[in-house]
Amino acid sequence: IYELYQGENDLVEDLTIVKKTYRDSMEKLQLMTEWELEQIFGPVDKLIPIHEELASGLQNQRLPDGTTRDIGSLLVDWVQKLKDYIPFCANQVFGKALLDEKKNDPAVDDFLQRCQDSPFSRKLDLWTLLDGARGKFIKYPLLLKAIHKYTCDTDEDKEYLLEAIKIVEKIISEADHKTGEAKCKYYAGRISFLYEEEKCEALENSTMLVCNGSLKNNKGSKLHIFLFNKVLVATRLVTQNGHQGYQVYRQPIPVEELVVEDLKDGEVKVGSFRSAFGSGQTAKNVLRVGFVDGGKGQSHTLIATDQHDKRQWLQCLNSILKTVKKPATASSEDSLGLRPDPVGQSSESDTELQPFPEADLQSLSEEESEDLSSEGSPGENSRKSKRKSSGKENFKVTRKDSLTSLSSIASSLRSSTSSMRNSQSSLRSSVSSLKSSTSSLKSKKSSSSLRKVLRKSKTDLKSGSKK
């Protein structure tokens, strides 16, 4: 209880410094316009009386021995006034951006630096003092739960404290929602497309920024990723007319078409396209986001700074995927005459639907077809019976036709095999004739050589007889 009381006094002191020393002084020195001061400081005037009231109320409840009793009803009435923090927290997104922009003005930067160096600021800058109020606001449930824990079960304050905790948690949740909407509006306004026709409708319809941060791709380029409640957008930091902005890199991925893959360490190589085929360095803490249908756009292989950063991204991505409506169930697919491909091993998200083949439709038995038909008037039943009989006759005719076509195919196959055998025998005879022709050629060559030898021997004999 004393920690709660002392925290209120400290917060009143900090907010008073923010109001009088910073805001009022900057207004007198005309360093900023009235609109700019309202944008940066928000409803700070309304916050100071709220905390002064709680501090004085807790002090009045304190007994002479230093103990405090019966604060439950006081807190139930007081926490209702914390609703003024909802616009204060939502305004901080735009206030921080404007303050950073105004720091480029030398006069403003010099004033802020002089205030920070002064003893009254405790070496804290303006934004730390402003954001301290928001930090105190979101810690109220923890303080009240600690008081509730050490309160006796028989004390009536137990129920009052529990009610106060529920009220403040609801207010914090609403403030968080409004802050998310403000962040979405702020960052969506700073995202630009290279061409007007590339603008994404899902980005315009987004109402909440789930998370955002810097990640690297597998080429080593730094990207700033925005995960909205409707779309995931990868961007690059750009500067336009002195203002920092974000230019869309590749095609945004709507949440309905988003698929997330957790990659193991060492699976992805880091570097350019050329080094990807070499023995390059592998990456850790990698995840991949892309389209369920890969033909709609390119995927992003993203590298987080560490395992904790990767885990946070995966949690945010999986939480937003759970909000997406599931596709139609199998029963509705069957009613449309569609079913998943039984051969493929793909997941439900990328399963292709194929129509039933005709054989499956014709395999229904007569009893099943009768069960499928509904009861009707006698005329309808007679027409159904006629259709059944005509269907049976048609089935018999088609069966006869198929048998005759099969027999003709078999006969053609037999004739083709016999012709193949004849061709094989003719090939063998041609081979034998070739062999005989080669042997006859060899015999002719041998006879001609013998004649030459005989002629030579005759000449030798004649010359010998002359000698």
Side-chain angles (χ1 to χ4, degrees), residues 173-231:
S173 176
E174 188 177 351
D176 187 49
H177 182 75
K178 293 294 183 181
T179 304
E181 289 182 350
K183 284 183 177 179
C184 176
K185 183 179 178 181
Y186 171 75
Y187 285 110
R190 289 187 170 241
I191 294 174
S192 61
F193 291 82
L194 195 59
Y195 303 103
E196 287 293 325
E197 56 269 16
E198 293 179 351
K199 284 191 175 181
C200 179
E201 186 179 353
L203 179 59
E204 296 175 358
N205 295 334
S206 296
T207 57
M208 183 69 63
L209 178 63
V210 181
C211 64
N212 73 99
S214 296
L215 296 171
K216 288 185 177 181
N217 60 9
N218 57 335
K219 296 179 182 178
S221 301
K222 193 174 182 180
L223 301 175
H224 199 94
I225 309 298
F226 294 96
L227 178 61
F228 297 94
N229 63 325
K230 297 287 185 182
V231 65

Side-chain angles (χ1 to χ4, degrees), residues 84-251:
D84 288 334
Y85 268 93
I86 296 173
F88 177 79
C89 293
N91 182 72
Q92 280 193 310
V93 181
F94 302 96
K96 179 67 165 63
L98 182 58
L99 180 62
D100 292 340
E101 184 181 335
K102 295 298 291 185
K103 284 180 181 179
N104 296 324
D105 185 349
V108 174
D109 186 59
D110 180 67
F111 173 81
L112 294 175
Q113 190 61 47
R114 287 176 183 272
C115 290
Q116 185 176 347
D117 295 338
S118 300
F120 63 80
S121 66
R122 306 191 305 277
K123 302 297 181 182
L124 300 175
D125 62 356
L126 172 59
W127 189 253
T128 303
L129 294 170
L130 268 173
D131 195 51
R134 183 196 60 83
K136 172 75 174 177
F137 165 63
I138 62 176
K139 288 180 181 177
Y140 277 118
L142 294 175
L143 281 171
L144 297 184
K145 285 178 181 178
I147 298 172
H148 179 270
K149 178 181 178 182
Y150 292 105
T151 302
C152 182
D153 292 339
T154 57
D155 198 323
E156 62 179 3
D157 260 15
K158 197 85 170 179
E159 294 297 327
Y160 283 121
L161 288 169
L162 192 61
E163 185 181 353
I165 291 168
K166 291 179 180 179
I167 294 170
V168 73
E169 284 180 343
K170 185 178 180 181
I171 295 172
I172 291 173
S173 176
E174 188 177 351
D176 187 49
H177 182 75
K178 293 294 183 181
T179 304
E181 289 182 350
K183 284 183 177 179
C184 176
K185 183 179 178 181
Y186 171 75
Y187 285 110
R190 289 187 170 241
I191 294 174
S192 61
F193 291 82
L194 195 59
Y195 303 103
E196 287 293 325
E197 56 269 16
E198 293 179 351
K199 284 191 175 181
C200 179
E201 186 179 353
L203 179 59
E204 296 175 358
N205 295 334
S206 296
T207 57
M208 183 69 63
L209 178 63
V210 181
C211 64
N212 73 99
S214 296
L215 296 171
K216 288 185 177 181
N217 60 9
N218 57 335
K219 296 179 182 178
S221 301
K222 193 174 182 180
L223 301 175
H224 199 94
I225 309 298
F226 294 96
L227 178 61
F228 297 94
N229 63 325
K230 297 287 185 182
V231 65
L232 183 138
V233 186
T235 65
R236 285 175 172 171
L237 283 172
V238 292
T239 304
Q240 297 175 346
N241 301 324
H243 299 285
Q244 188 179 18
Y246 306 91
Q247 191 176 74
V248 175
Y249 174 70
R250 293 183 180 173
Q251 187 178 355

Side-chain angles (χ1 to χ4, degrees), residues 79 137 195 233 246 305 311 313 365:
V79 293
F137 165 63
Y195 303 103
V233 186
Y246 306 91
T305 53
R311 195 184 309 115
W313 273 104
S365 63

